[in-house]
Amino acid sequence: MEMTEAAIEERVDRRGRSGRSARRDGAEKLHVPYIVRNIPAYDILSEENLQKIERTADRILAEIGIEFRDDPAAVEHWKKAGAKVDGVRVRFEPGMLREIVSSAPSVFTQHARNPANSVQIGAGNVVFSPAYGSPFVMDLDKGRRYGTIEDFRNFIKLAQASPWLHHSGGTICEPVDVPVNKRHLDMVYSHIKYSDRAFMGSVTAEERAEDSIEMTRILFGADFVDQNCVILGNVNVNSPLVWDGTMTKSLRAYARANQAAVIVPFILGGAMGPVTNAGAIAQSYAETLAGCALTQLERKGAPVIFGNFLSSMSLRSGSPTFGTPEPAIGSMVIGQLARRLKLPLRCAGNFSNAKLPDGQAMQEGLMSMLSAIHCGANFILHSAGFLDGLLSMSYEKFVMDADFCGALHSYLAGVTVDDNTLAFDAFEEVGPGSHFLGSAHTMRNYQTAFWQTTLSDNEPFEKWSEEGGSTDIATRANRQWKRTLEDYEAPPLDSALDEALRDFVNRRKSSMADGWY
């Protein structure tokens, strides 16, 4: 049936009821548990230059070494593996660590409690996860403030409600109204209760990592957890060239339970690493490789993710800077190095130093997020909400970033070339000088032909001014996150499992005094 331009316009009008329905239908059709990329990652360095970086990393590992502090078991692992150990300083022969990590899987599945939302990490797959670790939250109504457990749960709900995110994340914000030594229990329970997607656990102490894993055994069953990855732990190197016991003990706890550790140096060029990109990349490669290898000494074949977080700094003020070009292009090289190791990659994300969800935030976020896309990252932490140099999680930026992740779904799909997309039948129908708006080909494809934003305003200036109230995107995002929370419905959770989890949380909390340190 032929449609007039006006009829089509009404049908796809993003402000009309039918337009919203069509957009939801399109989102549902594009909604996938993770992205299988259909565009290549970019290889920007030559073989010769990649080898130079690897050789420099080998020299760092062999001649300078890495310290493993406050974890005698980790040092003992290295002794047995044949490394040179001098107190807590460990040195490695060239090639030793690459040989050890060869036992780690190149791709693995992290199972979600809803099997339809399980994610495959590695190969050509891309998983978007919210930002992680901010002590503050902010919105346009209340400004910047310390995060609470209510904020934490709100962000889980916003992530669960988005068709463009794939993972519930981890410490989306710090719930500072819960004691430090107990908040991990509430955080893991909240991920399980308010989301049916894959999630991350605690790494701030070995016993908290073990509590996180134990809660997944309640949820999935101990035998299933022993044979399958169901939780991630994000551990950081204390750069330069130090692994502290808090992190290595948590790393080993995840590995021995056959769960995936994400190994991440956080290098601020000029502070924790050289100001030059190649040197910082060599350092991060050495530090990450050592952490990945330690997982394999704890349990051979355990899943592990090769992580990286390069950043720059203002050399005048000493302040960290995010969303800058040098770390972005450095991420491309990290991607090449990770692929040579055949390890899944976590790299870059939607970074910004902006203090508001404004033009600076989106400019810096675009620079860093596209670097994650083009470097071939498989698990992209910090995909949504990152503001204020990661000190703040923004409600408005969260939904703005999630909307951008929707655009990236279409971007990563590449260009499909087949009889339908070549559209020769449309040329036959339309001919010279007419238009395609009402053609049969347009009608077959209009719901999914283009990604449709839920936030950007694409109307003429007059309509934006008269009907839309001349709002900016942050104001529209403020309205959207509130509507999303109002409409949110928790995914069903078996009542017996819920009771068992709450019982575990209560027993663990009652076993220790509150720690507010």
Side-chain angles (χ1 to χ4, degrees):
M1 181 181 77
E2 184 176 346
M3 290 192 71
T4 65
E5 292 181 32
I8 263 199
E9 214 172 79
E10 161 135 18
R11 189 110 174 241
V12 299
D13 182 358
R14 67 180 179 79
R15 283 196 174 90
R17 181 179 301 171
S18 57
R20 288 195 297 272
S21 177
R23 186 173 65 246
R24 285 195 300 271
D25 291 344
E28 284 304 310
K29 290 176 182 177
L30 291 172
H31 180 199
V32 291
Y34 55 91
I35 300 170
V36 179
R37 64 186 302 137
N38 200 34
I39 62 173
Y42 286 172
D43 293 340
I44 66 167
L45 278 196
S46 66
E47 175 67 20
E48 178 185 4
N49 284 328
L50 288 171
Q51 289 183 9
K52 285 181 180 178
I53 289 175
E54 289 174 337
R55 285 197 296 270
T56 300
D58 282 342
R59 287 194 65 192
I60 292 170
L61 290 165
E63 298 175 28
I64 300 169
I66 294 179
E67 291 191 358
F68 288 82
R69 299 177 181 174
D70 302 318
D71 188 359
V75 175
E76 189 61 29
H77 272 315
W78 294 124
K79 286 180 181 177
K80 291 180 180 178
K84 297 177 181 177
V85 176
D86 180 12
V88 296
R89 181 80 64 96
V90 183
R91 295 177 175 86
F92 311 89
E93 289 298 321
M96 174 186 173
L97 296 182
R98 283 190 286 275
E99 175 63 27
I100 293 172
V101 300
S102 66
S103 61
S106 60
V107 59
F108 65 92
T109 297
Q110 185 188 357
H111 294 268
R113 71 174 177 91
N114 178 357
N117 287 331
S118 295
V119 293
Q120 201 171 79
I121 300 175
N125 307 315
V126 182
V127 175
F128 292 147
S129 179
Y132 180 111
S134 300
F136 299 101
V137 299
M138 61 169 63
D139 61 51
L140 296 185
D141 304 300
K142 300 177 183 177
R144 186 177 188 255
R145 59 198 184 277
Y146 280 108
T148 66
I149 193 64
E150 180 183 4
D151 292 308
F152 184 87
R153 290 167 181 160
N154 283 344
F155 283 114
I156 291 174
K157 294 172 183 178
L158 291 173
Q160 171 73 12
S162 173
W164 310 125
L165 299 176
H166 314 112
H167 203 274
S168 193
T171 306
I172 306 181
C173 68
E174 282 285 350
V176 300
D177 55 338
V178 181
V180 173
N181 59 333
K182 299 180 180 181
R183 66 180 60 156
H184 66 287
L185 298 162
D186 287 334
M187 288 192 287
V188 172
Y189 175 75
S190 295
H191 279 299
I192 295 171
K193 176 70 174 178
Y194 299 106
S195 174
D196 60 3
R197 293 177 172 174
F199 60 91
M200 308 176 80
S202 177
V203 296
T204 53
E206 183 177 20
E207 63 270 18
R208 296 171 198 166
E210 290 175 340
D211 282 344
S212 302
I213 296 164
E214 187 60 31
M215 291 176 74
T216 68
R217 294 189 179 110
I218 296 170
L219 182 63
F220 290 94
D223 290 342
F224 186 87
V225 171
D226 185 62
Q227 297 301 314
N228 298 275
C229 178
V230 299
I231 192 170
L232 306 181
N234 190 72
V235 295
N236 291 117
V237 186
N238 191 2
S239 303
L241 306 177
V242 172
W243 272 100
D244 69 78
T246 299
M247 291 290 100
T248 56
K249 289 174 183 176
S250 291
L251 174 160
R252 293 190 299 102
Y254 280 94
R256 66 175 169 265
N258 200 31
Q259 304 307 302
V262 189
I263 312 297
V264 189
F266 176 29
I267 296 178
L268 288 174
M272 293 101 84
V275 295
T276 49
N277 232 344
I281 291 167
Q283 175 190 335
S284 68
Y285 179 84
E287 293 173 340
T288 307
L289 193 56
C292 291
L294 185 57
T295 69
Q296 300 306 294
L297 297 182
E298 186 71 29
R299 179 166 173 165
K300 189 173 183 179
V304 64
I305 298 176
F306 188 98
N308 186 262
F309 195 140
L310 291 174
S311 189
S312 53
M313 64 182 296
S314 170
L315 296 177
R316 293 182 178 180
S317 69
S319 298
T321 53
F322 297 94
T324 51
E326 295 83 7
I329 200 66
S331 296
M332 304 294 187
V333 181
I334 296 296
Q336 288 182 267
L337 294 168
R339 284 190 289 279
R340 289 159 74 86
L341 292 169
K342 297 182 172 59
L343 290 176
L345 172 65
R346 180 224 141 173
C347 195
N350 199 315
F351 303 154
S352 178
N353 236 26
K355 312 307 182 288
L356 293 170
D358 57 11
Q360 177 187 342
M362 301 316 286
Q363 174 185 302
E364 292 171 346
L366 180 66
M367 171 71 77
S368 57
M369 191 64 171
L370 281 183
S371 76
I373 296 301
H374 291 305
C375 80
N378 304 114
F379 181 70
I380 304 181
L381 198 60
H382 306 308
S383 292
F386 187 122
L387 265 191
D388 189 23
L390 191 53
L391 289 176
S392 301
M393 273 290 291
S394 162
Y395 278 84
E396 287 80 22
K397 189 165 184 287
F398 190 97
V399 296
M400 291 162 67
D401 291 343
D403 193 60
F404 180 54
C405 285
L408 292 174
H409 277 68
S410 293
Y411 188 81
L412 281 160
V415 177
T416 300
V417 180
D418 57 24
D419 288 345
N420 176 59
T421 60
L422 288 169
F424 189 78
D425 62 315
F427 291 104
E428 287 183 313
E429 179 183 346
V430 172
S434 186
H435 62 75
F436 291 80
L437 196 57
S439 71
H441 181 268
T442 298
M443 295 311 303
R444 286 200 311 271
N445 292 281
Y446 83 91
Q447 285 188 320
T448 57
F450 304 125
W451 167 76
Q452 293 188 56
T453 176
T454 60
L455 281 177
S456 296
D457 190 294
N458 300 314
E459 301 297 344
F461 184 92
E462 292 75 14
K463 191 172 183 179
W464 167 77
S465 177
E466 294 170 9
E467 298 181 15
S470 303
T471 58
D472 62 9
I473 193 169
T475 301
R476 295 192 293 274
N478 178 270
R479 295 171 182 171
Q480 181 168 305
W481 70 256
K482 292 174 182 175
R483 286 196 303 269
T484 301
L485 291 180
E486 287 176 3
D487 295 342
Y488 166 83
E489 294 181 8
L493 175 64
D494 180 83
S495 58
L497 288 175
D498 191 21
E499 183 178 353
L501 287 163
R502 286 187 285 108
D503 178 66
F504 176 83
V505 168
N506 291 334
R507 282 189 289 107
R508 288 292 293 132
K509 283 186 173 183
S510 64
S511 70
M512 60 186 112
D514 290 352
W516 293 101
Y517 48 87

PDB file of all heavy atoms in Angstrom, residues 199-220:
ATOM      1  N   PHE A 199      27.362  -9.192  35.793  1.00  0.00           N
ATOM      2  CA  PHE A 199      27.794  -8.121  36.686  1.00  0.00           C
ATOM      3  C   PHE A 199      29.193  -8.389  37.211  1.00  0.00           C
ATOM      4  O   PHE A 199      29.789  -9.439  36.943  1.00  0.00           O
ATOM      5  CB  PHE A 199      26.806  -7.954  37.848  1.00  0.00           C
ATOM      6  CG  PHE A 199      26.643  -9.191  38.703  1.00  0.00           C
ATOM      7  CD1 PHE A 199      27.432  -9.399  39.820  1.00  0.00           C
ATOM      8  CD2 PHE A 199      25.691 -10.153  38.381  1.00  0.00           C
ATOM      9  CE1 PHE A 199      27.286 -10.532  40.605  1.00  0.00           C
ATOM     10  CE2 PHE A 199      25.535 -11.288  39.162  1.00  0.00           C
ATOM     11  CZ  PHE A 199      26.333 -11.478  40.269  1.00  0.00           C
ATOM     12  N   MET A 200      29.698  -7.435  37.991  1.00  0.00           N
ATOM     13  CA  MET A 200      31.034  -7.512  38.568  1.00  0.00           C
ATOM     14  C   MET A 200      30.941  -7.562  40.092  1.00  0.00           C
ATOM     15  O   MET A 200      29.960  -7.099  40.669  1.00  0.00           O
ATOM     16  CB  MET A 200      31.868  -6.295  38.143  1.00  0.00           C
ATOM     17  CG  MET A 200      31.883  -6.067  36.647  1.00  0.00           C
ATOM     18  SD  MET A 200      32.775  -4.575  36.153  1.00  0.00           S
ATOM     19  CE  MET A 200      34.450  -5.172  36.245  1.00  0.00           C
ATOM     20  N   GLY A 201      31.992  -8.100  40.706  1.00  0.00           N
ATOM     21  CA  GLY A 201      32.026  -8.206  42.158  1.00  0.00           C
ATOM     22  C   GLY A 201      33.073  -7.309  42.781  1.00  0.00           C
ATOM     23  O   GLY A 201      33.715  -6.487  42.115  1.00  0.00           O
ATOM     24  N   SER A 202      33.277  -7.465  44.075  1.00  0.00           N
ATOM     25  CA  SER A 202      34.194  -6.619  44.842  1.00  0.00           C
ATOM     26  C   SER A 202      35.632  -7.092  44.680  1.00  0.00           C
ATOM     27  O   SER A 202      35.906  -8.284  44.505  1.00  0.00           O
ATOM     28  CB  SER A 202      33.806  -6.648  46.319  1.00  0.00           C
ATOM     29  OG  SER A 202      34.715  -5.885  47.084  1.00  0.00           O
ATOM     30  N   VAL A 203      36.572  -6.132  44.794  1.00  0.00           N
ATOM     31  CA  VAL A 203      38.002  -6.469  44.768  1.00  0.00           C
ATOM     32  C   VAL A 203      38.759  -5.768  45.891  1.00  0.00           C
ATOM     33  O   VAL A 203      39.984  -5.847  45.945  1.00  0.00           O
ATOM     34  CB  VAL A 203      38.638  -6.079  43.410  1.00  0.00           C
ATOM     35  CG1 VAL A 203      38.030  -6.881  42.268  1.00  0.00           C
ATOM     36  CG2 VAL A 203      38.518  -4.574  43.147  1.00  0.00           C
ATOM     37  N   THR A 204      38.063  -5.090  46.790  1.00  0.00           N
ATOM     38  CA  THR A 204      38.735  -4.250  47.778  1.00  0.00           C
ATOM     39  C   THR A 204      39.356  -5.028  48.929  1.00  0.00           C
ATOM     40  O   THR A 204      40.063  -4.454  49.754  1.00  0.00           O
ATOM     41  CB  THR A 204      37.758  -3.203  48.337  1.00  0.00           C
ATOM     42  OG1 THR A 204      36.573  -3.859  48.808  1.00  0.00           O
ATOM     43  CG2 THR A 204      37.367  -2.199  47.263  1.00  0.00           C
ATOM     44  N   ALA A 205      39.110  -6.310  49.024  1.00  0.00           N
ATOM     45  CA  ALA A 205      39.757  -7.197  49.995  1.00  0.00           C
ATOM     46  C   ALA A 205      39.483  -8.624  49.525  1.00  0.00           C
ATOM     47  O   ALA A 205      38.469  -8.901  48.870  1.00  0.00           O
ATOM     48  CB  ALA A 205      39.223  -6.980  51.410  1.00  0.00           C
ATOM     49  N   GLU A 206      40.384  -9.533  49.876  1.00  0.00           N
ATOM     50  CA  GLU A 206      40.224 -10.914  49.441  1.00  0.00           C
ATOM     51  C   GLU A 206      38.903 -11.505  49.928  1.00  0.00           C
ATOM     52  O   GLU A 206      38.188 -12.176  49.173  1.00  0.00           O
ATOM     53  CB  GLU A 206      41.399 -11.755  49.950  1.00  0.00           C
ATOM     54  CG  GLU A 206      41.359 -13.206  49.490  1.00  0.00           C
ATOM     55  CD  GLU A 206      42.572 -13.980  49.959  1.00  0.00           C
ATOM     56  OE1 GLU A 206      43.238 -13.539  50.933  1.00  0.00           O
ATOM     57  OE2 GLU A 206      42.861 -15.042  49.365  1.00  0.00           O
ATOM     58  N   GLU A 207      38.539 -11.236  51.195  1.00  0.00           N
ATOM     59  CA  GLU A 207      37.304 -11.819  51.724  1.00  0.00           C
ATOM     60  C   GLU A 207      36.071 -11.222  51.039  1.00  0.00           C
ATOM     61  O   GLU A 207      35.039 -11.901  50.907  1.00  0.00           O
ATOM     62  CB  GLU A 207      37.220 -11.630  53.237  1.00  0.00           C
ATOM     63  CG  GLU A 207      37.156 -10.190  53.720  1.00  0.00           C
ATOM     64  CD  GLU A 207      38.535  -9.585  53.977  1.00  0.00           C
ATOM     65  OE1 GLU A 207      39.541 -10.134  53.468  1.00  0.00           O
ATOM     66  OE2 GLU A 207      38.596  -8.562  54.697  1.00  0.00           O
ATOM     67  N   ARG A 208      36.173  -9.986  50.564  1.00  0.00           N
ATOM     68  CA  ARG A 208      35.038  -9.389  49.846  1.00  0.00           C
ATOM     69  C   ARG A 208      34.906  -9.985  48.447  1.00  0.00           C
ATOM     70  O   ARG A 208      33.791 -10.172  47.955  1.00  0.00           O
ATOM     71  CB  ARG A 208      35.196  -7.868  49.789  1.00  0.00           C
ATOM     72  CG  ARG A 208      35.165  -7.229  51.164  1.00  0.00           C
ATOM     73  CD  ARG A 208      35.547  -5.754  51.130  1.00  0.00           C
ATOM     74  NE  ARG A 208      35.922  -5.317  52.474  1.00  0.00           N
ATOM     75  CZ  ARG A 208      36.555  -4.186  52.749  1.00  0.00           C
ATOM     76  NH1 ARG A 208      36.878  -3.354  51.758  1.00  0.00           N
ATOM     77  NH2 ARG A 208      36.849  -3.865  53.998  1.00  0.00           N
ATOM     78  N   ALA A 209      36.038 -10.267  47.838  1.00  0.00           N
ATOM     79  CA  ALA A 209      35.995 -10.986  46.565  1.00  0.00           C
ATOM     80  C   ALA A 209      35.358 -12.363  46.760  1.00  0.00           C
ATOM     81  O   ALA A 209      34.509 -12.797  45.970  1.00  0.00           O
ATOM     82  CB  ALA A 209      37.401 -11.124  45.990  1.00  0.00           C
ATOM     83  N   GLU A 210      35.757 -13.048  47.834  1.00  0.00           N
ATOM     84  CA  GLU A 210      35.213 -14.387  48.090  1.00  0.00           C
ATOM     85  C   GLU A 210      33.723 -14.329  48.429  1.00  0.00           C
ATOM     86  O   GLU A 210      32.958 -15.211  48.027  1.00  0.00           O
ATOM     87  CB  GLU A 210      36.013 -15.050  49.203  1.00  0.00           C
ATOM     88  CG  GLU A 210      37.431 -15.423  48.760  1.00  0.00           C
ATOM     89  CD  GLU A 210      38.281 -15.965  49.881  1.00  0.00           C
ATOM     90  OE1 GLU A 210      37.935 -15.717  51.065  1.00  0.00           O
ATOM     91  OE2 GLU A 210      39.304 -16.623  49.590  1.00  0.00           O
ATOM     92  N   ASP A 211      33.291 -13.294  49.159  1.00  0.00           N
ATOM     93  CA  ASP A 211      31.855 -13.113  49.415  1.00  0.00           C
ATOM     94  C   ASP A 211      31.093 -12.941  48.098  1.00  0.00           C
ATOM     95  O   ASP A 211      30.015 -13.516  47.911  1.00  0.00           O
ATOM     96  CB  ASP A 211      31.617 -11.872  50.283  1.00  0.00           C
ATOM     97  CG  ASP A 211      31.910 -12.109  51.760  1.00  0.00           C
ATOM     98  OD1 ASP A 211      32.001 -13.279  52.171  1.00  0.00           O
ATOM     99  OD2 ASP A 211      32.046 -11.105  52.492  1.00  0.00           O
ATOM    100  N   SER A 212      31.644 -12.136  47.208  1.00  0.00           N
ATOM    101  CA  SER A 212      30.990 -11.892  45.919  1.00  0.00           C
ATOM    102  C   SER A 212      30.819 -13.192  45.151  1.00  0.00           C
ATOM    103  O   SER A 212      29.748 -13.471  44.589  1.00  0.00           O
ATOM    104  CB  SER A 212      31.821 -10.898  45.088  1.00  0.00           C
ATOM    105  OG  SER A 212      32.002  -9.676  45.760  1.00  0.00           O
ATOM    106  N   ILE A 213      31.875 -13.988  45.139  1.00  0.00           N
ATOM    107  CA  ILE A 213      31.824 -15.264  44.417  1.00  0.00           C
ATOM    108  C   ILE A 213      30.853 -16.222  45.093  1.00  0.00           C
ATOM    109  O   ILE A 213      30.099 -16.950  44.425  1.00  0.00           O
ATOM    110  CB  ILE A 213      33.241 -15.868  44.325  1.00  0.00           C
ATOM    111  CG1 ILE A 213      34.146 -14.951  43.488  1.00  0.00           C
ATOM    112  CG2 ILE A 213      33.193 -17.273  43.718  1.00  0.00           C
ATOM    113  CD1 ILE A 213      35.630 -15.242  43.650  1.00  0.00           C
ATOM    114  N   GLU A 214      30.845 -16.226  46.423  1.00  0.00           N
ATOM    115  CA  GLU A 214      29.946 -17.119  47.149  1.00  0.00           C
ATOM    116  C   GLU A 214      28.483 -16.794  46.841  1.00  0.00           C
ATOM    117  O   GLU A 214      27.634 -17.696  46.749  1.00  0.00           O
ATOM    118  CB  GLU A 214      30.209 -17.029  48.654  1.00  0.00           C
ATOM    119  CG  GLU A 214      29.443 -18.057  49.486  1.00  0.00           C
ATOM    120  CD  GLU A 214      29.780 -19.501  49.107  1.00  0.00           C
ATOM    121  OE1 GLU A 214      30.925 -19.775  48.677  1.00  0.00           O
ATOM    122  OE2 GLU A 214      28.871 -20.369  49.216  1.00  0.00           O
ATOM    123  N   MET A 215      28.179 -15.528  46.668  1.00  0.00           N
ATOM    124  CA  MET A 215      26.798 -15.158  46.330  1.00  0.00           C
ATOM    125  C   MET A 215      26.412 -15.671  44.943  1.00  0.00           C
ATOM    126  O   MET A 215      25.258 -16.038  44.709  1.00  0.00           O
ATOM    127  CB  MET A 215      26.634 -13.641  46.421  1.00  0.00           C
ATOM    128  CG  MET A 215      26.721 -13.131  47.859  1.00  0.00           C
ATOM    129  SD  MET A 215      26.639 -11.325  48.021  1.00  0.00           S
ATOM    130  CE  MET A 215      24.890 -11.048  47.696  1.00  0.00           C
ATOM    131  N   THR A 216      27.380 -15.750  44.040  1.00  0.00           N
ATOM    132  CA  THR A 216      27.065 -16.330  42.725  1.00  0.00           C
ATOM    133  C   THR A 216      26.870 -17.841  42.825  1.00  0.00           C
ATOM    134  O   THR A 216      26.108 -18.414  42.044  1.00  0.00           O
ATOM    135  CB  THR A 216      28.164 -16.028  41.685  1.00  0.00           C
ATOM    136  OG1 THR A 216      29.370 -16.719  42.008  1.00  0.00           O
ATOM    137  CG2 THR A 216      28.425 -14.535  41.590  1.00  0.00           C
ATOM    138  N   ARG A 217      27.534 -18.480  43.788  1.00  0.00           N
ATOM    139  CA  ARG A 217      27.312 -19.925  43.979  1.00  0.00           C
ATOM    140  C   ARG A 217      25.893 -20.181  44.472  1.00  0.00           C
ATOM    141  O   ARG A 217      25.262 -21.175  44.092  1.00  0.00           O
ATOM    142  CB  ARG A 217      28.336 -20.483  44.968  1.00  0.00           C
ATOM    143  CG  ARG A 217      29.770 -20.448  44.443  1.00  0.00           C
ATOM    144  CD  ARG A 217      30.724 -21.204  45.372  1.00  0.00           C
ATOM    145  NE  ARG A 217      32.085 -21.199  44.859  1.00  0.00           N
ATOM    146  CZ  ARG A 217      33.101 -20.525  45.414  1.00  0.00           C
ATOM    147  NH1 ARG A 217      32.896 -19.833  46.541  1.00  0.00           N
ATOM    148  NH2 ARG A 217      34.300 -20.560  44.884  1.00  0.00           N
ATOM    149  N   ILE A 218      25.386 -19.287  45.313  1.00  0.00           N
ATOM    150  CA  ILE A 218      23.989 -19.398  45.745  1.00  0.00           C
ATOM    151  C   ILE A 218      23.057 -19.230  44.547  1.00  0.00           C
ATOM    152  O   ILE A 218      22.075 -19.961  44.385  1.00  0.00           O
ATOM    153  CB  ILE A 218      23.672 -18.357  46.831  1.00  0.00           C
ATOM    154  CG1 ILE A 218      24.497 -18.636  48.092  1.00  0.00           C
ATOM    155  CG2 ILE A 218      22.174 -18.329  47.154  1.00  0.00           C
ATOM    156  CD1 ILE A 218      24.427 -17.530  49.122  1.00  0.00           C
ATOM    157  N   LEU A 219      23.383 -18.268  43.694  1.00  0.00           N
ATOM    158  CA  LEU A 219      22.523 -17.936  42.563  1.00  0.00           C
ATOM    159  C   LEU A 219      22.555 -18.994  41.463  1.00  0.00           C
ATOM    160  O   LEU A 219      21.505 -19.393  40.940  1.00  0.00           O
ATOM    161  CB  LEU A 219      22.950 -16.576  41.986  1.00  0.00           C
ATOM    162  CG  LEU A 219      22.140 -16.030  40.817  1.00  0.00           C
ATOM    163  CD1 LEU A 219      20.690 -15.760  41.235  1.00  0.00           C
ATOM    164  CD2 LEU A 219      22.782 -14.749  40.277  1.00  0.00           C
ATOM    165  N   PHE A 220      23.754 -19.463  41.116  1.00  0.00           N
ATOM    166  CA  PHE A 220      23.907 -20.357  39.965  1.00  0.00           C
ATOM    167  C   PHE A 220      24.126 -21.823  40.350  1.00  0.00           C
ATOM    168  O   PHE A 220      23.929 -22.710  39.514  1.00  0.00           O
ATOM    169  CB  PHE A 220      25.101 -19.919  39.109  1.00  0.00           C
ATOM    170  CG  PHE A 220      24.902 -18.632  38.361  1.00  0.00           C
ATOM    171  CD1 PHE A 220      25.330 -17.426  38.899  1.00  0.00           C
ATOM    172  CD2 PHE A 220      24.310 -18.623  37.107  1.00  0.00           C
ATOM    173  CE1 PHE A 220      25.168 -16.235  38.203  1.00  0.00           C
ATOM    174  CE2 PHE A 220      24.142 -17.446  36.404  1.00  0.00           C
ATOM    175  CZ  PHE A 220      24.567 -16.245  36.949  1.00  0.00           C
TER     176      PHE A 220
END
